[in-house]
Amino acid sequence: MREPGIPHPRLPLPLEGGEDDPASFLAWLGEAIPMVEHLGIRSMRREGGDLEWRLDLSPSLNDKGTGFGGALAAQTTLLGWCWTTLWLRRRGYERDVVVAEAGQRFLAPVTGDYRLVCTPEAEDGPERLAERLERRGKGRIALVQRLWCGDTLCLEARGDYAVLPAD
């Protein structure tokens, strides 16, 4: 059981040049952030610069039988945090990531299981983040999350994620 004010132990970094196993990362995430086990995440995969979750709608239902906006907003924010954390881990950084700013636009009701896709807002965003980390030891990146229910774009979110300096 997690205790307030006590950080959860970090997941060991992957071997140099390696990537995190998605299932292991999601298991750690569920321990580190207890609400994760209630989000309905079925799978996680990386494709190019994107990070994608597949989710079940049932844990996020509202009173109308569609996706609850608060749960969907939390999921988009957390997916951006995961994108940033995994990007750092592939480069050998053990850093804290925090969301600095987040917002969303709800475009259509979520009526079934769905996928969330996170990508950098600017194509050169990851390179700029790498430069800032090298030069200043901290940085920020803007990410966009899109929620698709079938072929329908239901939600578009944007967040700025800050990478804090090393301890």
Side-chain angles (χ1 to χ4, degrees):
M1 183 74 158
R2 289 292 314 282
E3 294 290 326
I6 299 173
H8 189 72
R10 291 181 193 256
L11 184 65
L13 288 172
L15 297 176
E16 188 172 327
E19 292 203 25
D20 284 287
D21 169 62
S24 297
F25 181 80
L26 284 174
W28 171 84
L29 189 64
E31 295 170 4
I33 303 173
M35 73 178 249
V36 166
E37 69 182 58
H38 304 287
L39 296 180
I41 302 168
R42 288 192 323 238
S43 66
M44 177 178 82
R45 72 181 181 103
R46 179 171 292 285
E47 185 172 316
D50 296 349
L51 182 62
E52 178 182 287
W53 282 351
R54 298 270 176 170
L55 299 103
D56 293 324
L57 176 59
S58 58
S60 299
L61 284 172
N62 64 16
D63 58 316
K64 295 160 207 62
T66 61
F68 172 59
L72 304 175
Q75 292 166 2
T76 62
T77 301
L78 182 58
L79 182 60
W81 181 92
C82 289
W83 187 101
T84 308
T85 298
L86 290 166
W87 183 90
L88 289 165
R89 291 174 55 75
R90 281 195 323 276
R91 285 152 184 81
Y93 289 104
E94 281 189 322
R95 297 291 184 81
D96 286 328
V97 174
V98 296
V99 61
E101 186 176 335
Q104 53 282 141
R105 289 180 340 136
F106 296 89
L107 305 169
V110 178
T111 58
D113 295 347
Y114 53 98
R115 63 188 170 97
L116 271 173
V117 181
C118 181
T119 189
E121 182 175 65
E123 190 174 310
D124 66 343
E127 292 80 22
R128 288 194 326 239
L129 176 57
E131 290 169 5
R132 286 188 200 111
L133 288 170
E134 193 65 34
R135 206 172 62 245
R136 298 179 24 213
K138 62 182 181 177
R140 284 172 78 135
I141 188 165
L143 300 171
V144 175
Q145 301 86 24
R146 291 179 178 91
L147 186 155
W148 297 89
C149 190
D151 292 331
T152 303
L153 177 61
C154 297
L155 166 63
E156 189 168 63
R158 183 193 177 282
D160 286 337
Y161 295 83
V163 179
L164 304 180
D167 296 333

